[in-house]
Amino acid sequence: MSKRYEPQGRLGRAVNAFEETFIALLLGLMALLTFVTVILRYIFNASIIWSLEVILILFAWLIIFGVSYGFKITAHLGVDAVTNILPRGPRRIAAMIAGAVTIAYAFLLLKGSWDYWAPYAALDRTSGRWFPTGFQETREQAWFVTDQVPPVRWLFGWLEPLINQGEEYEKLPRVIPYVILPVGSALILFRVSQAVMAIARGDRDSLIVSHEAEEAVEEAAASHRAGEDAADIYAGVTPPAGRT
Amino acid sequence: MDVVLLFTMIIGLLLMGVPIAVSLGFSSIIFLLVFSDTSLASIAQSFYQAMAGHYTLLAIPFFILASSFMSTGGVARRIIRFSIACVGHLRGGLAIAGVFACMMFAALSGSSPATVVAIGTIVIAAMKQAGYTKEFAAGVICNAGTLGILIPPSIVMVVYASATDVSVGRMFLAGVIPGLLAGFMLMVAIYVIAVKRNMPKGIFAGWGEIWASFRDAFWGLMLIAIIMMGIYGIPGVTGAIFTPTEAAAVASMYAFLVAMFVYRDIGPLAPRPAQSVGAAIAGPVEGTPKSLFQAPWALITAFFHRDTRDTLLEAGKLTIMLMFIIANALILKHVLTDEQIPQAIAQAMLGAGLGPITFLIVVNVILLIGGQFMEPSGLLVIVAPLVFPIAIELGIDPIHLGIIMVVNMEIGMITPPVGLNLFVTSGVAGMSMMSVVKAALPFLAVLFVFLIMVTYIPAISLWLPTLVMGPEIIIR
C-alpha cells in the first residue's frame, strides 16, 4: 500500500512545491481560459482566435509534465491483485521487473520525443531504430509555426537569430509547445529510475496504486481505527468555545 | 498470432504490477517497432496529439475539476441530510437514504471509490448508531457506490465516447434511466429486507426540514442541472447551449464559486484555515464561515488561495493518471486499427455463426472479470476499441453497448474475490474483506438482474437519447 509522499530536504520541498504549483497552474489556466472563451462567445459574441489551440497545448503540457510527478508520488494505476498475494521476496522481484519495463518504456519515449522535437529546434535526430547510435543529418523544420498562437516575441524573440536565420516568426514556432516532449520524457525516465532504486533499497513497495481514491480510503481507515480506540476524541478534553 | 502475443504481453505486464499506461504503451511500441515501419518519433507525436488533438477528451479534466470542488465533505453532508429528510422515515430509511445520497453524490463526483469514501464514512457510522448491523450498512454503500460511473456526468462515459467516437451527450442521456432504475431497484430490495427483518425507521422531520435541507444542498445539485441543461438546452426554451467540454468548464467554474463563496468549506472565507477534506468528514465544521462583506478581498484571493491550489492539484493528479492511460491506449488503438484486428475477429465470429446475444455474453464475461482487477476507465480503453467494431458489425447499437460496458464494470467492482469497491468499503467500514463480500452479495444479485435487463432490453438505455436527440445515425 502506498503511503503519502513527503518531500525530503530543502531542495526536495522546493522542487515538490514547483511541480505541484505548476500542475495546478496549468489546469487552472485551462479551465479559466475555456470559461472566458465561452463567456465571450455567448455573451459578448466575441472570440479569442488562439484560445482553443492554447488550451490544447496546456492540456498536453499538463499531462506530459505531470506523468513524472505521478511516478514520484506513486499515483499511477495498476493491477495489484496478483502481486499482493505473492510473498515478500517474489513481490519485490516482480516490482523490479515492472520497474525495468517502465525504464525501458521511458527510454524509448525519450528517444522518440527527441527525434520528433529536434528538427523543430534545428537540431539533429538520433540514428538507430531502437537505440540512439549517433546523430544523423536532419532537414530542419524550425520555420514550422503553430496555427493561431501569437509569437510572444518579447519572450521568444531570441530564438529567431538562433534557429530561424534571423527571420521574424509570425506565429509561435512549434519548437515551443513540443519542447515538453523531450523535457517531460526525460523527467519520466529520471523519476522512474529513482522509484526503481527506492524499490531496490526496499524503501518502496511498487510503482502502482490500484484505484484513485486509495489515499482517501487509508485516511478513512486510519480515522476509523483511531475512532475505535477512543470513542470520542473530545473525551476528557475541555470543549473548545462554541462546541457543546 | 501476433495479436495473441500482443495481448498476452499486455496482460502479463499488468499482472506483474507494471502501471496500466506503461503496459499498453510498451507493448504497442514493441509491436510497432518489430512488425511495422513506424518510427519512435511518430509514436512520440501520437502521444502528444493524444492531448493536443482530442477536443472531446478535454472534458475529462474539467469534469474532474468540477467534482473536486464539489466532493468535499461539506457537500456530502448536505446531500446526506437532504436524503435523510426525504426517505429517512421509511422502514430501513437510513439505508435507503444512503442509496439516494450515493446517487446524487455519484452524479457530482463521477467516481465510484470516491463516492464510497465520501458517503460511506458518514452513513455507515450513522447506520451503526441507529441500530443497523455494520454488515448491512457496508453492503448497501458498497453497491450503491458503484452507481457513480453510470449516472451522468460520468468520466468513464467520456472516455468511452472518445475511444469510439460516439456522442458524449447521447451517452450521458442513455445513462439517466439505467442509473435511476438501478438505484430504485436497490432501494426496493432494501425496503423488502428491512420490512422482513424489522429494521429501524427514523422520524419524519416534516416538510420544513425537507425544504431547508434541499435549499442547503441546492447549490451542489445545481451543478448537475447546469451540465445537463448546458449540453441539451433548457427543455422547451433553448436548444443545446454548450458542447460537453464547454459545459464541463462552466461547471468547474461554477463549482469553484459555490465552494468558495456559498458553502465556504474551503478557501479564504472558510471558518478555519485549510480545512482538510478528512477533517470535514470527521465532524461538523466549527464556527461560522466569514461573510463576503467582512472580507471582500476574498473575491481576488480565492483564486490564489492554498485550498484552490490544492484542489486544482488533486484534480490535476487524477487527470494525469487517466490521460496517461488514455494516451497510451490510443497508441494501442493505432496498432489495432492498422492491423485490422477487430475486423478479423468479427469475421471469425460471424463465420462461426455467433450472433449478437452470444457476443454480448462474451463481452459481459470479459468485463466482469476485468472489472475486478482494474479501474473502469483503464479497462474501458483497452476493451472498447476491440469490441466496438465487432458490435457494429453485428448490428448492436454503439450507445447501448457503451451502457452495457459501464454496467458490467460497475458489477465487476463489487464481484468477489477482488472487486475494487469491496476493498474500498472494507477500508472505510473497518471490516474484513470476506465480511464485506458476504454483506454485498444480496445486493449484488439485484444488480445482476439489472445487468441482464440492460443487456437484453436496449430500450432502457436508448429511449431517452432518441427522444431528446432524435434517432441515431450509425456509420459503418
Side-chain angles (χ1 to χ4, degrees), chain B residues 341-352 354 386 389-391 393-394:
Chain B
I341 291 163
Q343 286 77 359
I345 301 177
Q347 284 314 316
M349 286 186 75
L350 289 175
L354 288 180
L386 199 61
I390 305 175
E393 217 42 47
L394 290 168

Side-chain angles (χ1 to χ4, degrees), chain A residues 36-225:
Chain A
V36 169
T37 311
V38 171
I39 295 299
L40 279 180
R41 175 140 36 102
Y42 288 100
I43 298 183
F44 300 100
N45 211 6
S47 65
I48 315 173
I49 195 163
W50 44 263
S51 73
L52 179 61
E53 202 179 2
V54 170
I55 292 162
L56 290 169
I57 290 172
L58 291 173
F59 189 24
W61 275 57
L62 170 70
I63 308 305
I64 299 174
F65 175 81
V67 168
S68 62
Y69 174 77
F71 275 112
K72 184 177 89 171
I73 61 166
T74 325
H76 287 299
L77 295 173
V79 177
D80 60 5
V82 174
T83 50
N84 270 349
I85 53 172
L86 291 176
R88 208 173 156 67
R91 185 162 62 189
R92 211 162 113 198
I93 295 171
M96 291 299 292
I97 298 174
V101 170
T102 313
I103 288 180
Y105 166 83
F107 176 79
L108 291 172
L109 191 66
L110 177 58
K111 174 176 157 38
S113 299
W114 174 269
D115 287 353
Y116 183 61
W117 175 74
Y120 294 106
L123 294 168
D124 284 338
R125 282 185 170 154
T126 56
S127 51
R129 187 163 171 73
W130 294 75
F131 301 100
T133 50
F135 287 96
Q136 64 186 26
E137 199 68 9
T138 314
R139 186 139 57 107
E140 63 171 72
Q141 299 172 336
W143 48 276
F144 273 57
V145 291
T146 49
D147 292 338
Q148 307 288 357
V149 189
V152 207
R153 292 195 60 233
W154 58 270
L155 189 58
F156 300 120
W158 53 274
L159 276 171
E160 288 162 3
L162 214 59
I163 60 171
N164 205 32
Q165 279 120 28
E167 268 178 65
E168 204 171 294
Y169 277 121
E170 286 180 9
K171 295 276 184 308
L172 188 76
R174 289 201 191 179
V175 60
I176 305 289
Y178 290 167
V179 75
I180 195 62
L181 269 174
V183 171
S185 21
L187 283 174
I188 296 174
L189 185 56
F190 174 65
R191 290 300 184 197
V192 173
S193 312
Q194 270 188 332
V196 173
M197 280 189 307
I199 293 173
R201 277 200 311 269
D203 293 348
R204 222 169 129 162
D205 268 356
S206 72
L207 286 172
I208 51 166
V209 291
S210 61
H211 58 83
E212 70 270 19
E214 207 158 88
E215 211 170 74
V217 172
E218 247 150 64
E219 229 167 73
S223 75
H224 194 86
R225 279 192 295 274

Side-chain angles (χ1 to χ4, degrees), chain A residues 15-36:
Chain A
V15 170
N16 195 56
F18 168 74
E19 286 176 315
E20 294 188 341
T21 312
F22 194 54
I23 289 171
L25 191 71
L26 286 170
L27 181 58
L29 279 179
M30 278 167 66
L32 203 60
L33 196 53
T34 312
F35 180 73
V36 169

Side-chain angles (χ1 to χ4, degrees), chain B residues 150-212:
Chain B
L150 185 57
I151 298 179
S154 150
I155 292 155
V156 177
M157 287 186 189
V158 179
V159 173
Y160 175 83
S162 50
T164 57
D165 293 325
V166 303
S167 137
V168 178
R170 261 179 207 282
M171 274 308 287
F172 280 4
L173 272 186
V176 172
I177 291 182
L180 294 179
L181 182 66
F184 182 70
M185 284 170 69
L186 279 178
M187 289 182 191
V188 169
I190 291 170
Y191 187 72
V192 170
I193 296 176
V195 169
K196 258 191 177 165
R197 293 206 213 148
N198 199 18
M199 283 181 177
K201 59 180 183 181
I203 311 147
F204 186 56
W207 290 98
E209 166 66 6
I210 292 186
W211 174 243

Side-chain angles (χ1 to χ4, degrees), chain B residues 30 43 53 89 93 96 137 143 156 175-176 185 190 264 266 308 332 351 376 451 458 469 472 474:
Chain B
I30 299 289
I43 294 170
H89 57 285
I96 298 177
N143 281 269
V156 177
V176 172
M185 284 170 69
I190 291 170
R264 290 168 287 181
I266 54 170
T308 310
L332 175 69
L451 171 67
M469 305 178 76
E472 189 180 358
I474 299 167

Side-chain angles (χ1 to χ4, degrees), chain B residues 177-443:
Chain B
I177 291 182
L180 294 179
L181 182 66
F184 182 70
M185 284 170 69
L186 279 178
M187 289 182 191
V188 169
I190 291 170
Y191 187 72
V192 170
I193 296 176
V195 169
K196 258 191 177 165
R197 293 206 213 148
N198 199 18
M199 283 181 177
K201 59 180 183 181
I203 311 147
F204 186 56
W207 290 98
E209 166 66 6
I210 292 186
W211 174 243
S213 60
F214 173 74
R215 235 181 17 200
D216 200 23
F218 171 80
W219 296 102
L221 297 176
M222 244 331 255
L223 183 76
I224 307 167
I226 287 184
I227 293 172
M228 297 308 261
M229 285 195 293
I231 300 180
Y232 310 108
I234 302 157
V237 183
T238 58
I241 308 173
F242 304 133
T243 65
T245 305
E246 288 170 346
V250 171
S252 62
M253 199 48 153
Y254 169 82
F256 166 76
L257 293 175
V258 168
M260 290 290 157
F261 302 118
V262 181
Y263 284 159
R264 290 168 287 181
D265 294 329
I266 54 170
L269 301 176
R272 269 189 304 196
Q275 176 83 20
S276 84
V277 175
I281 290 172
V285 179
E286 284 164 38
T288 40
K290 278 183 243 162
S291 127
L292 192 55
F293 297 110
Q294 284 170 329
W297 54 87
L299 277 178
I300 307 296
T301 54
F303 285 89
F304 306 99
H305 195 271
R306 174 128 201 124
D307 290 346
T308 310
R309 193 203 79 141
D310 288 349
T311 311
L312 280 168
L313 176 67
E314 278 308 309
K317 272 195 316 209
L318 202 55
T319 309
I320 290 162
M321 255 153 63
L322 286 179
M323 283 306 302
F324 186 38
I325 296 175
I326 292 169
N328 283 286
L330 288 172
I331 304 177
L332 175 69
K333 191 181 166 193
H334 178 75
V335 177
L336 295 179
T337 327
D338 269 9
E339 303 284 312
Q340 298 273 311
I341 291 163
Q343 286 77 359
I345 301 177
Q347 284 314 316
M349 286 186 75
L350 289 175
L354 288 180
I357 294 187
T358 340
F359 169 74
L360 287 179
I361 293 177
V362 173
V363 173
N364 282 341
V365 171
I366 293 177
L367 289 170
L368 279 184
I369 297 173
Q372 296 187 22
F373 297 94
M374 211 187 275
E375 204 278 334
S377 310
L379 180 64
L380 197 69
V381 287
I382 303 175
V383 179
L386 199 61
V387 300
F388 183 75
I390 305 175
I392 301 295
E393 217 42 47
L394 290 168
I396 296 164
D397 187 278
I399 301 286
H400 181 215
L401 178 74
I403 298 296
I404 294 173
M405 293 182 78
V406 171
V407 174
N408 259 300
M409 284 181 300
E410 257 189 74
I411 296 180
M413 293 174 85
I414 43 169
T415 308
V418 282
L420 272 181
N421 255 22
L422 297 171
F423 275 109
V424 177
T425 313
S426 88
V428 168
M431 292 164 61
S432 78
M433 188 65 184
M434 266 328 285
S435 44
V436 177
V437 168
K438 246 193 265 164
L441 273 181
F443 304 107

